[in-house]
Amino acid sequence: MVIVGGGMAGTRLAQQLAAGASGGSADGAGPAAVTVIGEEPHPAYNRVLLAEVLAGRYAPEVIALPAPAAGVRRLGGVRVVRVDRATAQVLCDDGRRVPYDALVLATGSNPVLPPLRGLFEPDGHDLPDGVRAFRTMDDCLALGAAVRPGVRAVVIGGGLLGVSAARALAQRGAQVVLAQQGEHLMERQLDPGAARLLRRHMTALGVEVHTACRVRGLRTRPTEPAGDGREPERGRGRGRGRAVSAVELADGYALEADLVVLACGVRPRVGLARAAGLEVARGVVVDDELRTSDPRIFAIGDCAEHEGVVYGLAGAAQEQADVLARLLSPAPPLPGTRGLRPLAPRRDSAPQPAAADRVVGHRSPAGAPPRGGRARPGHRVAPGGDGTATRYTGTRALTRLTLTAASGPAPAVAGTAAPVADGRPAPGPLDLAAFGDPTPAPGDDVVHLTDATRNAYRKVVVRGDRLVGGILLGDLGTVGALARTWEGDEPLPSTPLLHLLTNDGGS
């Protein structure tokens, strides 16, 4: 078995397959050989925690995922350039040809580079020095090497990733401007009321927020000669020719900038699949067995499209990996567990952050296995009723984010306010959870509570006895029962909904 992609989805699948390999193959020929081919040279890492590395809270090795089990071969720093379906081989950029009996595409997604004037030179492909997306460990290391107190940074894009990057840069002492083209921050997750509280919190962290702000282009300046003694950015050679100096807005105003972070969304990486003749829409089209139009090729994670949906969430990717492992393994992987076990940093390095930016797709807030041993949404319960997943039917995702401030790389103590770069007391952490569609349809019931003095915002939409969507900001003790009800697509408990929104959420 060959897995193309060494990120969270591919690594999770390899771990699960290795855990179930002790039972041998169905025909008694022994466990399947698993090869993971990853384009990044770094060991696999938890992409969800990249903002913590950028903030200086954790070193890169802290967010590394457990190394592949014995018997799993990992080819790092190797890019697959073609899938030869006729010979059942993948061709790599180093000339290697790797045969497969089953192939899994876990190629992830690419950052969207907006059409800005000055982003590329005519017939050029290199970004100016100081301009980076925020998607990979190399992006994170380059930004981390360039940021220092007083650096002028502009983050283009006010979605979840842009908000996380802006907070991390501000924590490192940068002067941060967050430019969002939409009417409010995190438009995919929040309504205008919740976004106002988030904007106020970001401003308190020292981030200057501009919404309804369209960026037109970049201004650049010639770089210093290579012999000036300065080190180039990670991943770039000397003498690239130009560096960013300002960001031009559509109204003609220019924001001076030493760093620019492009956080304008992502697109599924489908080039390999399309070149191989597989069915591709927005992502690589898969069925309930995560199988593509070629029965020997599967797809999971950010590159996969199931029932017209590309999830782009870590939780959904891991859930898909769990389902596929059960379908392909001769024995159930990770015996004794049910549902999604999130990928955690290595135990010998550091614990998960207690109060930091954490985006959780489909898991409990503390990274623990789900309570009660229920079958996970998107999984059908096997006839035995033990929750074993045999098909993937979708993910009911819950997005969580915690924004904190600290004076530097040392972690802030949860619940306390640390000073930000200019010495002002920083606000305490702001917790956020969002799920489903928070826009009510005619006939829906809405429960809405707001307390601006305490940065608290609660809104849930109910249709009959089911949750349709919700947004929770502030103290997320209320997320307990609501999250479980949403994720399980269960009827609401008999407890009055207002009670669930004003105490511990029924936890």
Side-chain angles (χ1 to χ4, degrees):
M1 182 177 301
V2 174
I3 302 170
V4 179
M8 295 178 71
T11 298
R12 175 72 179 187
L13 177 60
Q15 291 172 344
Q16 294 284 54
L17 290 171
S22 59
S25 64
D27 58 6
V34 178
T35 299
V36 180
I37 306 175
E39 188 171 337
E40 293 190 63
H42 311 282
Y45 55 89
N46 189 339
R47 196 181 305 275
V48 169
L49 296 176
L50 276 179
E52 288 308 308
V53 176
L54 179 58
R57 187 182 184 92
Y58 284 155
E61 59 269 18
V62 171
I63 69 169
L65 301 175
V72 175
R73 180 173 63 145
R74 183 181 186 275
L75 305 178
V78 177
R79 183 167 61 93
V80 173
V81 296
R82 187 161 70 91
V83 176
D84 189 338
R85 294 166 58 191
T87 62
Q89 293 180 319
V90 295
L91 284 67
C92 303
D93 60 353
D94 61 359
R96 204 173 332 208
R97 301 176 72 95
V98 182
Y100 65 84
D101 296 308
L103 175 65
V104 181
L105 299 179
T107 50
S109 53
N110 283 324
V112 173
L113 301 182
L116 303 179
R117 288 189 294 188
L119 189 61
F120 297 105
E121 292 184 307
D123 301 321
H125 303 285
D126 292 320
L127 295 173
D129 289 342
V131 179
R132 281 278 176 173
F134 185 43
R135 182 66 182 166
T136 67
M137 181 63 77
D138 281 340
D139 294 330
C140 185
L141 295 177
L143 290 169
V147 69
R148 61 189 182 277
V151 159
R152 299 163 300 182
V154 176
V155 178
I156 301 175
L160 190 149
L161 187 63
V163 167
S164 297
R167 195 282 303 173
L169 291 170
Q171 183 169 327
R172 294 285 296 274
Q175 301 175 19
V176 184
V177 176
L178 178 57
Q180 160 72 332
Q181 183 169 320
E183 294 296 324
H184 63 261
L185 297 177
M186 293 183 62
E187 286 184 308
R188 291 184 59 185
Q189 292 87 13
L190 304 183
D191 63 7
R196 279 193 293 272
L197 287 183
L198 174 61
R199 178 171 182 163
R200 188 173 73 176
H201 184 80
M202 295 296 290
T203 300
L205 294 178
V207 177
E208 182 181 334
V209 179
H210 295 266
T211 55
C213 172
R214 188 167 66 86
V215 175
R216 181 172 61 186
L218 303 180
R219 294 179 185 173
T220 60
R221 57 174 174 76
T223 56
E224 299 280 342
D228 69 346
R230 297 193 309 171
E231 289 297 320
E233 292 184 35
R234 288 179 183 265
R236 298 175 187 257
R238 295 183 180 272
R240 287 293 183 182
R242 61 195 188 115
V244 68
S245 60
V247 173
E248 292 184 352
L249 306 182
D251 60 5
Y253 188 76
L255 300 169
E256 294 185 345
D258 306 303
L259 283 178
V260 174
V261 180
L262 305 176
C264 304
V266 295
R267 291 193 183 100
R269 295 185 66 178
V270 298
L272 274 178
R274 180 175 283 120
L278 301 177
E279 183 181 357
V280 173
R282 285 183 59 221
V284 184
V285 177
V286 296
D287 61 15
D288 286 359
E289 292 185 336
L290 299 162
R291 197 183 304 268
T292 70
S293 52
D294 184 326
R296 299 175 68 181
I297 303 179
F298 303 82
I300 59 173
D302 290 2
C303 70
E305 177 177 334
H306 177 264
E307 296 290 339
V309 178
V310 177
Y311 287 95
L313 292 170
Q318 293 179 56
E319 190 171 340
Q320 291 167 3
D322 287 353
V323 173
L324 185 56
R326 289 186 173 95
L327 288 166
L328 299 179
S329 294
L334 295 181
T337 67
R338 292 183 174 88
L340 176 64
R341 283 201 352 181
L343 291 164
R346 297 182 307 188
R347 293 183 179 179
D348 61 353
S349 46
Q352 285 269 22
D357 296 346
R358 294 198 321 189
V359 183
V360 182
H362 187 87
R363 55 179 166 172
S364 63
R371 304 182 187 185
R374 298 191 308 273
R376 304 304 297 163
H379 294 181
R380 297 177 188 162
V381 179
D386 63 354
T388 301
T390 56
R391 295 291 187 273
Y392 178 76
T393 58
T395 296
R396 294 172 65 83
L398 172 71
T399 298
R400 295 201 62 171
L401 176 66
T402 300
L403 294 170
T404 61
S407 58
V413 178
T416 65
V420 291
D422 61 4
R424 292 179 294 108
L430 178 72
D431 293 322
L432 179 155
F435 55 91
D437 185 357
T439 303
D444 289 346
D445 294 318
V446 179
V447 181
H448 192 176
L449 302 174
T450 303
D451 185 348
T453 62
R454 302 172 66 179
N455 259 11
Y457 186 94
R458 316 271 194 275
K459 176 183 177 181
V460 294
V461 180
V462 180
R463 187 170 300 153
D465 63 352
R466 307 280 170 155
L467 283 175
V468 175
I471 301 170
L472 307 172
L473 271 77
D475 179 5
L476 287 196
T478 56
V479 81
L482 292 174
R484 294 194 297 274
T485 300
W486 160 256
E487 291 179 334
D489 194 19
E490 299 171 350
L492 285 166
S494 57
T495 305
L497 193 59
L498 185 62
H499 176 69
L500 293 178
L501 287 175
T502 53
N503 70 353
D504 65 355
S507 300

